[in-house]
Amino acid sequence: MTQARSAVTTRPDTRQQDLLRLLGPAAVHQADPAAAWTPAERQLLRLTTRQLVSYRAAPDPTDWRALGPVGDLAVDVPSTYNAGLGASHRSYVAHLRPDVWWDTPQPRRITAHDVVRGFKRLANPVIRHPALAYFRGTLRGMDRYCAEYADAVAGQPVTAALLAAFADAHELPGVFAVDDETVVLELVRPALDFPDLLALSCASPAPAEYDAYLPGSPELHANLVASGPYRIASWQPGAAIRLEPNPTWRPESDPVRRRLFAAVEFRVSTGGPRQLADRLAADEADLPWGVPVGPVPGHRADPFLVFNLRDPANPAVGSATVRRVVADTIDRSALARIAGAADPWSDIREAHTVVPPGNDGHRPPDPLADPLPPDGGARERLAAAGHPDGLILTAVHPDTAEDLALARTWAADLGAAGVEVRLVALDEVNHRALLAGTADAPALRWDVSTASRTAPWGYGNARAFLQPLVDAGSPGGYHDPEIDRIVEQALDAADPREAVARWQEVQRRLLAAGAVVPLLFRRATDAAPRGPRVRDVAPLPSLGGLADLGEVRLEGGR
Amino acid sequence: MHTTPGHAIGYEGIAVSHTVESPGPAAVSASVSPSPLRTASWARIRELFALDPTTVHLNTGTVGAMPYEVLDTVDRVTRQWTGGLLDVYRPAMFTEYRDYIARTFGVDEDEIVICHNATEGVARVIHGLDLREGDEVVTTTHECYSVLSNFNLLRNRHGIVVRTVTPPSGHHVRAEEIVELVEAAITPRTKVLSFAAITLFTGTMFPVRQLCELAHRHGLTTVIDGALIPGMLDVNLRDYGADFITCSGSKFQCGPLGTGLIYIRNKVVPESNPLPLPTFWPLISTWYPMMGSPPPRTATEVESYNMGDYLQSAGSANLARGAALARAFELWDDIGRDRIEAYVMDLAEYARGRLIEGFGVEALYSPGADPRLRSPLIAFNPFRRPEDAWNIKKFITFVKRLETEHRIWTRWTEFDVPGSPHQHYAARITTHLFNTREEIDHSVRTMVRLAEEMS
């Protein structure tokens, strides 16, 4: 690995302990902020990047201090009290700290122009980042910028130079640098969750060096530039990652992160939960990787099913009746038992709504108010929909033992109802590309896929689960003009209660159309195994309960 | 107690008009000799104020400069009451002061409350409105934060709907545009119309009477942020036709910080406002009945109960500040409110002309072509590049450098402009009775030079 970085030799602080070791099933494939998205990836990025605002670790993850972002690269969260937020709530002014640096050969200050570049990279048409759904309807000009970006590169080989040329020639109207220390972010309409969006790792600033590489590419990963307390020393996707201190990071300019270790090591373990617990107990590692370590307010949706309505293998999934048959046929209790064995550290529930409990907009099923399933068995309903002989669907799922076991179970349920399911296991990279519909996705016609989602922010997050499912870049391409109209109402609502009501309406329509099939909810608990050295660990709600690795206390440490 | 010629208003020996410069009584009648201040030169009047002679104070829109007599009153009355065993509650009703101030504004004592500031006043009004879920309030995006935050609080608490319009800005805006814009936002569910008499961001003098008549036609309650009215305008508050007007005592009126007024319409005078009195809940009240309700509100020109007393009775009060505010009112009446208004407005027109010469008419956010909309607050963009209008750093620096390098006190403001996606910023100056044309000339010259340097 030949990273462009500062040449300063790291001299570990004498207070630091030697090494924090993580071991577990997390498959981290991205450390590029413009491409990374899973909680485990964002957990890693928390150590290597800075955002305008971020969350602090708090002893109690339900405490408001853990749920509300604070200034990170920005001096403070822009607000009306610090002249950072106009009364219209559509213009944010972020003032950057003067002493935050890129880990470049000649250390260089992070400027407002780097923040602008970060947002332009997020809009790139190569990755189609899942969080774009939030920004497109919120950040002024983002929607059009994304569309024009995609048009500009369509039909030609996408190169870093091509992307950089577009970004250089086109301004993103809603994000501009007033000077090196000041960036303005303008919204289409007020968004009370905008500081939470700014805290997403995909909203990180980007150094100019990144323009030389395709987003998310191996070449970029060989040239990552850190701004957080650590930098990536070695990177073996799917196997191991090692972090070492970033010598340009200054603790006095980072109110969010701490650096307590001379190195952090991530190793992938593919064994089952018992094996992982045994290895941690044997002090092979300190913390599980990709396993939440403590309870956070909200459950996550994991897994649920989405249908491919863009270019399905079987056009039958275009029928709401067919989709509802799938939704009504699957026995969630069986799934919960399987998941409970594979993931004994989560509180697992059957899911019948899109938004999980503990998140804004969750609405428990109401037997008195919710529409009853249509009369008739699954076969009769399929026959009425024009499929008297049943049908065949191609289903994709991540290539893990648990995902396979779950898929086989619900596929068996569907098979009994006359829907034959052909399962296709994809590794995480290909599965993600398939759902995003990017150019590098495998050439595979599919009908239904498992997916999962963790709310990337924990308070006022009514749109966190729903908007990505109905956005233009949604995994299956489901589109309902009436939902578009309701989404606009939700985004326009000045009263958060009104917004929640509208999002619940979106959820009702999605479920009624069978566009999404909730299967299970999971909530982190504090039952996850820890190595014997671990004295204390702080789960972050924004990471679904994964640990803040800057706050892990080991035996003998401070 | 009503004031009589030759005696100052006050309580239990705490007279507040004891100065050689202004010996006149609180209530001026035809039989009383006018105060010498009535004909005093503006240079002489300027000497009344505790101004730093090395500075140019062009920020009365934020806070005025206190006259020495007002300062003295704060000090004297504070000392007089400190450590005493007197009954502090009766004087805290400020009955005489309210009576005096009410008559200054052409209203009655039962309709005036002395409170702590305009923000407190508007909060007590907004939260006293009888609004229910689904009721709508029409207001503007150019309101003071404390207006919008309190309506938002009502939205969260009771589920009301707040509709905002963004008023036009610029030299050529006309009153009719504002009235039409507001009218278009009114729906059958609208219950309240709320706006600033003079906006703090662009210094637009809203067409208050026209808007109140619009409200009357739609049966709406009117809540007016009149923070800048006292001390600037020689007005009869009742003539506006509003239900509630909240005022600052420390801006143009130059009273102590922490003083404000609430005007609450407490009788029906058809020629000013023919609507029935709105249901109102006087928040923070000692003397609101502890059981039962007050009698029904009057439908005539005779009040049914003293709503002002309900609001005024809020425990102990800062007696010194009340006395000092009353003293400031006396001073203004001695000088002549009509005279002050004419001077302030004339100086503002002079300043407007100089700013147009220096920066061009397109630089002005404040209306000027329509005389009905002019105020002594003038907001403008001093920079040449259009995009600097949404560069907050430039405005902060501009105002800071005026203050630190040139000792000129101004402020920057932020607001929406219709059709623009940006939050706009402006430099704002305010003219008052202690300012002079020389100060305006000096300040505009300095601002032109500084803006040129910063452009």
Side-chain angles (χ1 to χ4, degrees):
Chain A
M1 168 171 281
T2 56
Q3 285 181 272
R5 54 175 49 157
S6 62
V8 181
T9 303
T10 303
R11 185 182 179 84
D13 191 308
T14 53
R15 291 171 303 174
Q16 294 172 354
Q17 296 170 82
D18 52 355
L19 176 66
L20 176 66
R21 303 159 301 165
L22 288 96
L23 179 71
V28 168
H29 296 277
Q30 280 294 343
D32 177 0
W37 180 237
T38 67
E41 289 170 342
R42 289 185 282 122
Q43 183 187 34
L44 173 71
L45 285 181
R46 182 170 169 86
L47 297 182
T48 60
T49 63
R50 302 284 296 266
Q51 292 76 45
L52 286 174
V53 301
S54 289
Y55 305 97
R56 291 168 294 187
D60 177 0
T62 63
D63 189 294
W64 62 270
R65 286 171 294 186
L67 297 173
V70 297
D72 179 355
L73 174 58
V75 173
D76 207 346
V77 178
S79 74
T80 47
Y81 319 113
N82 58 29
L85 175 60
S88 67
H89 278 52
R90 290 191 293 109
S91 178
Y92 286 74
V93 182
H95 303 280
L96 274 52
R97 293 180 198 277
D99 51 354
V100 185
W101 303 78
W102 290 120
D103 179 24
T104 43
Q106 291 298 319
R108 198 174 67 232
R109 275 185 52 197
I110 297 180
T111 69
H113 304 283
D114 298 324
V115 176
V116 174
R117 183 179 299 103
F119 278 97
K120 287 183 174 180
R121 289 190 80 244
L122 173 62
N124 82 80
V126 177
I127 299 295
R128 295 188 182 178
H129 198 284
L132 273 175
Y134 308 128
F135 287 99
R136 266 200 291 259
T138 301
L139 197 56
R140 188 171 76 80
M142 189 60 147
D143 194 35
R144 186 169 177 182
Y145 193 85
C146 289
E148 290 179 351
Y149 211 159
D151 288 346
V153 302
Q156 50 188 320
V158 180
T159 63
L162 186 64
L163 297 181
F166 179 88
D168 286 345
H170 296 80
E171 295 308 319
L172 177 52
V175 186
F176 54 91
V178 162
D179 53 29
D180 281 357
E181 302 89 25
T182 315
V183 63
V184 176
L185 302 114
E186 294 178 342
L187 309 192
V188 177
R189 51 197 147 207
L192 299 180
D193 55 12
F194 191 64
D196 296 290
L197 302 192
L198 294 180
L200 297 174
S201 56
C202 62
S204 302
E209 285 82 353
Y210 281 12
D211 286 345
Y213 311 103
L214 281 174
S217 64
E219 294 74 24
L220 182 100
H221 280 83
N223 291 279
L224 289 167
V225 180
S227 57
Y230 294 90
R231 63 186 180 189
I232 293 175
S234 65
W235 174 271
Q236 298 169 267
I241 301 169
R242 184 179 174 86
L243 306 184
E244 64 182 20
N246 167 9
T248 66
W249 178 78
R250 300 179 179 183
E252 62 273 17
S253 72
D254 192 337
V256 173
R257 300 166 190 78
R258 289 210 274 184
R259 186 166 67 201
L260 300 174
F261 305 99
V264 182
E265 183 183 88
F266 302 82
R267 284 177 293 144
V268 173
S269 160
T270 54
R274 172 65 64 86
Q275 287 171 286
L276 179 60
D278 288 347
R279 293 178 71 180
L280 284 163
D283 198 23
E284 283 188 43
D286 300 305
L287 288 173
W289 188 21
V291 176
V293 295
V296 291
H299 286 62
R300 61 187 190 272
D302 182 12
F304 58 90
L305 301 181
V306 292
F307 294 93
N308 180 13
L309 300 176
R310 288 196 183 93
D311 182 25
N314 187 340
V317 294
S319 158
T321 301
V322 170
R323 297 193 300 264
R324 284 297 305 267
V325 166
V326 171
D328 297 339
T329 302
I330 295 174
D331 174 11
R332 273 81 165 174
S333 63
L335 300 180
R337 284 192 296 275
I338 292 170
D343 178 7
W345 308 305
S346 290
D347 168 19
I348 296 173
R349 297 187 192 179
E350 300 171 29
H352 297 279
T353 60
V354 179
V355 179
N359 297 280
D360 275 15
H362 171 69
R363 177 182 159 276
D366 183 349
L368 297 177
D370 293 342
L372 294 170
D375 290 335
R379 289 182 185 276
E380 288 75 20
R381 289 162 63 191
L382 288 176
H387 307 285
D389 301 322
L391 49 91
I392 300 173
L393 299 182
T394 303
V396 293
H397 62 85
D399 187 15
T400 71
E402 181 188 349
D403 282 301
L404 178 60
L406 290 171
R408 281 178 174 160
T409 303
W410 57 258
D413 290 341
L414 294 180
V419 180
E420 181 185 339
V421 180
R422 294 177 177 167
L423 295 175
V424 179
L426 294 176
D427 64 40
E428 176 134 348
V429 173
N430 279 318
H431 186 238
R432 187 190 300 200
L434 194 76
L435 291 184
T438 52
D440 59 343
L444 169 70
R445 302 283 292 275
W446 60 283
D447 299 307
V448 62
S449 173
T450 55
S452 63
R453 182 163 291 266
T454 302
W457 67 96
Y459 176 74
N461 62 358
R463 63 165 155 163
F465 289 90
L466 290 159
Q467 194 172 17
L469 294 171
V470 297
D471 177 75
S474 69
Y478 180 75
H479 183 239
D480 173 358
E482 179 60 13
I483 283 184
D484 290 348
R485 192 184 64 78
I486 301 168
V487 167
E488 286 300 306
Q489 291 176 342
L491 296 174
D492 279 340
D495 184 340
R497 291 168 300 190
E498 173 69 13
V500 166
R502 297 282 77 77
W503 284 115
Q504 287 177 330
E505 205 175 330
V506 169
Q507 177 174 245
R508 273 192 295 274
R509 289 189 68 88
L510 280 176
L511 293 172
V516 181
V517 180
L519 297 179
L520 296 175
F521 294 140
R522 305 186 196 214
R523 182 173 187 240
T525 70
D526 56 6
R530 302 174 182 186
R533 295 199 305 167
V534 176
R535 226 173 50 192
D536 195 19
V537 63
L540 284 174
S542 59
L543 297 179
L546 296 186
D548 177 0
L549 299 179
E551 292 290 339
V552 178
R553 303 308 173 107
L554 300 183
E555 203 67 51
R558 297 189 175 208
Chain B
M1 182 184 94
H2 286 273
T3 54
T4 54
H7 293 86
I9 53 175
Y11 292 99
E12 299 180 4
I14 309 170
V16 294
S17 296
H18 281 180
T19 60
V20 174
E21 293 82 1
S22 178
V28 178
S29 72
S31 62
V32 179
S33 302
S35 160
L37 289 176
R38 180 71 196 178
T39 53
S41 70
W42 292 108
R44 170 74 190 90
I45 289 169
R46 181 184 166 92
E47 292 173 2
L48 299 176
F49 290 86
L51 287 164
D52 178 346
T54 67
T55 65
V56 179
H57 182 11
L58 297 178
N59 193 20
T60 300
T62 300
V63 63
M66 267 193 282
Y68 290 107
E69 286 187 38
V70 174
L71 266 171
D72 291 345
T73 305
V74 172
D75 184 54
R76 187 178 64 250
V77 178
T78 299
R79 290 172 185 279
Q80 209 151 359
W81 283 84
T82 298
L85 296 173
L86 303 169
D87 174 8
V88 296
Y89 295 108
R90 192 180 68 80
M93 293 300 288
F94 292 144
T95 307
E96 286 79 9
Y97 301 153
R98 287 162 54 204
D99 181 61
Y100 179 81
I101 292 168
R103 280 185 284 126
T104 293
F105 283 141
V107 297
D108 298 320
E109 177 264 340
D110 59 292
E111 297 175 304
I112 285 290
V113 180
I114 296 176
C115 60
H116 292 93
N117 50 52
T119 291
E120 181 198 273
V122 81
R124 291 174 73 179
V125 167
I126 287 173
H127 294 287
L129 298 172
D130 191 44
L131 292 177
R132 310 294 169 92
E133 183 173 359
D135 289 345
E136 294 182 2
V137 172
V138 170
T139 186
T140 85
T141 61
H142 286 200
E143 300 309 308
C144 179
Y145 309 105
S146 53
V147 173
L148 295 175
S149 65
N150 279 292
F151 277 124
N152 184 47
L153 202 160
L154 275 195
R155 172 163 52 198
N156 292 339
R157 187 177 183 195
H158 295 308
I160 68 163
V161 175
V162 183
R163 293 188 183 279
T164 56
V165 296
T166 296
S169 51
H171 184 74
H172 300 289
V173 175
R174 296 189 60 76
E176 287 71 21
E177 293 176 59
I178 295 173
V179 176
E180 287 166 12
L181 185 72
V182 170
E183 184 163 23
I186 295 171
T187 77
R189 300 210 65 172
T190 304
K191 294 289 189 295
V192 173
L193 175 59
S194 179
F195 57 90
I198 303 108
T199 66
L200 74 97
F201 299 122
T202 63
T204 302
M205 178 88 71
F206 263 42
V208 179
R209 179 64 199 178
Q210 284 173 268
L211 289 169
C212 285
E213 287 175 355
L214 173 69
H216 300 165
R217 291 197 295 276
H218 290 271
L220 309 182
T221 300
T222 38
V223 177
I224 295 178
D225 172 7
L228 299 165
I229 289 177
M232 178 203 294
L233 302 178
D234 180 25
V235 291
N236 179 312
L237 293 182
R238 195 184 309 285
D239 287 349
Y240 279 143
D243 291 296
F244 304 93
I245 304 175
T246 54
C247 305
S248 169
S250 60
K251 296 181 187 288
F252 275 80
Q253 189 54 64
C254 297
L257 285 168
T259 53
L261 296 170
I262 302 171
Y263 161 72
I264 170 169
R265 184 169 70 103
N266 202 37
K267 53 206 69 171
V268 179
V269 179
E271 56 270 31
S272 68
N273 186 343
L275 297 178
L277 297 179
T279 299
F280 183 72
W281 304 96
L283 292 189
I284 313 180
S285 175
T286 304
W287 296 129
Y288 184 80
M290 285 175 278
M291 292 186 72
S293 298
R297 300 201 74 183
T298 184
T300 72
E301 296 186 18
V302 179
E303 70 266 25
S304 48
Y305 54 88
N306 192 323
M307 180 62 89
D309 275 1
Y310 285 157
L311 282 166
Q312 191 66 59
S313 60
S316 63
N318 189 320
L319 301 179
R321 282 189 299 191
L325 178 63
R327 184 69 198 112
F329 266 80
E330 283 187 311
L331 266 179
W332 253 243
D333 287 337
D334 288 347
I335 297 167
R337 288 181 185 272
D338 54 344
R339 192 177 165 219
I340 293 170
E341 179 180 330
Y343 180 82
V344 169
M345 291 299 189
D346 178 67
L347 191 58
E349 284 323 290
Y350 181 73
R352 198 184 313 275
R354 294 303 316 274
L355 289 170
I356 290 173
E357 283 172 28
F359 299 107
V361 72
E362 296 308 317
L364 266 65
Y365 287 109
S366 302
D370 184 343
R372 296 168 295 179
L373 304 183
R374 293 176 190 158
S375 88
L377 285 76
I378 308 172
F380 59 100
N381 174 13
F383 304 114
R384 267 185 275 136
R385 297 189 316 164
E387 58 267 35
D388 284 342
W390 43 92
N391 183 336
I392 186 176
K393 289 287 280 289
K394 285 217 159 180
F395 285 88
I396 291 176
T397 304
F398 184 74
V399 168
K400 189 73 180 171
R401 288 185 63 181
L402 283 174
E403 178 187 334
T404 56
E405 297 173 17
H406 304 283
R407 306 286 290 161
I408 298 170
W409 295 353
T410 61
R411 73 165 281 179
W412 59 270
T413 64
E414 54 177 351
F415 49 91
D416 282 357
V417 169
S420 170
H422 306 291
Q423 178 93 43
H424 284 240
Y425 300 92
R428 192 196 73 187
I429 65 168
T430 310
T431 59
H432 203 12
L433 76 171
F434 43 69
N435 295 126
T436 65
R437 289 194 173 206
E438 290 71 30
E439 285 182 329
I440 299 297
D441 289 339
H442 164 69
S443 299
V444 173
R445 273 197 308 270
T446 304
M447 289 190 285
V448 168
R449 274 201 310 271
L450 180 59
E452 189 67 25
E453 184 187 328
M454 291 179 64
S455 289

